[in-house]
Amino acid sequence: MRRQWSAGSVLMREGEQSEHVVVIEAGRVKVASAAVSGKQALLAIRGPGDLLGEFSAIDGRARSATVTALSSVTATVLSGSAFRDLLIGDGKVAFTLLRIVVSRLREADVQRLEFGAYSVTERIARLLLDYARRYGERGDDGVIITLPLSQDELAHAAGASREAVSKALKRLRELDAVRTGRRRVELLRPDLLADIVEGLPSVHLDADMPTDPR
């Protein structure tokens, strides 16, 4: 069955008991989860060709994340039983799913490494470069990231506070590396962001340093 969702609509909600699977045909969604403390984490951005909800269809457990449309979304929806029958009956489909699961595990490993090994500014630079590569469009002065993400959502994706992300973006604007607007980021100097990711002394940033209380 084909379904459509408007921007802001919830496709799946964390904690709910459902087992349908969604295959995105058009549009993009964000996948987010909340800790016990209430702190949000933006886990991933998914788009055309991506599969959603397969874990619950396989193990029968509650949804582990909330999926929200970032734009208008068109997708094919399969019942959990139809999806399981497909996996059991078609080895190629089962292997494709296994590849998807392995890819997402690798993605999670990289994310954990970044959270532990990089500063907020370096994580934001890496995130913006990744988003530009996946979702960028050439603009007059640089690359426009076609994802309507707020600073809160960038903070959730980077595993940082909104204040730290705001400070990092301010410094990047001062360096003319990026231009920001409401739910809009344009990369003016991707090469400079790449240097920041590498931690070169010539572009050392202090956006992660605590403010002097004096």
Side-chain angles (χ1 to χ4, degrees):
M1 177 178 67
R2 179 173 289 172
R3 283 195 58 185
Q4 294 184 324
W5 292 266
S6 59
S9 299
V10 174
L11 283 70
M12 299 174 183
R13 195 176 300 278
E14 184 175 4
E16 73 179 8
Q17 290 289 342
S18 61
E19 59 175 24
H20 60 277
V21 174
V22 174
V23 182
I24 300 176
E25 297 179 16
R28 294 194 179 99
V29 302
K30 65 176 181 179
V31 183
S33 184
V36 176
S37 64
K39 184 177 181 180
Q40 292 285 323
L42 179 57
L43 304 179
I45 305 293
R46 303 295 182 207
D50 280 327
L51 186 65
L52 304 169
E54 70 278 9
F55 284 7
S56 292
I58 292 172
D59 65 16
R61 298 175 63 181
R63 299 295 188 191
S64 59
T66 295
V67 180
T68 307
L70 288 171
S71 63
S72 297
V73 172
T74 301
T76 295
V77 180
L78 296 175
S79 67
S81 59
F83 180 67
R84 290 189 292 272
D85 288 344
L86 185 61
L87 293 181
I88 293 170
D90 192 326
K92 288 184 177 180
V93 172
F95 184 71
T96 298
L97 176 63
L98 182 60
R99 288 178 64 107
I100 291 172
V101 172
V102 169
S103 175
R104 292 182 181 177
L105 287 174
R106 289 183 183 276
E107 184 179 307
D109 286 343
V110 170
Q111 190 177 60
R112 283 194 293 270
L113 172 63
E114 290 180 355
F115 286 178
Y118 295 95
S119 69
V120 173
T121 300
E122 290 166 338
R123 296 204 297 269
I124 287 296
R126 289 174 69 88
L127 196 65
L128 294 180
L129 286 172
D130 182 52
Y131 285 170
R133 177 177 58 84
R134 297 187 187 189
Y135 317 113
E137 292 183 356
R138 177 62 61 179
D140 294 336
D141 300 320
V143 180
I144 300 170
I145 297 175
T146 60
L147 292 175
L149 296 177
S150 66
Q151 283 196 14
D152 281 334
E153 288 166 327
L154 286 175
H156 296 160
S161 69
R162 187 184 189 283
E163 291 74 17
V165 170
S166 178
K167 189 174 181 181
L169 288 174
K170 180 176 183 293
R171 184 67 176 121
L172 293 177
R173 288 194 299 270
E174 291 172 348
L175 292 171
D176 292 325
V178 303
R179 179 187 296 143
T180 63
R182 187 176 183 275
R183 292 184 176 271
R184 175 187 172 93
V185 180
E186 183 175 4
L187 275 59
L188 305 178
R189 291 284 308 279
D191 59 324
L192 182 55
L193 292 178
D195 285 349
I196 292 169
V197 169
E198 294 300 323
L200 297 182
S202 61
V203 291
H204 172 72
L205 301 178
D206 63 354
D208 306 293
M209 298 297 290
T211 303
D212 190 338
R214 292 177 295 176

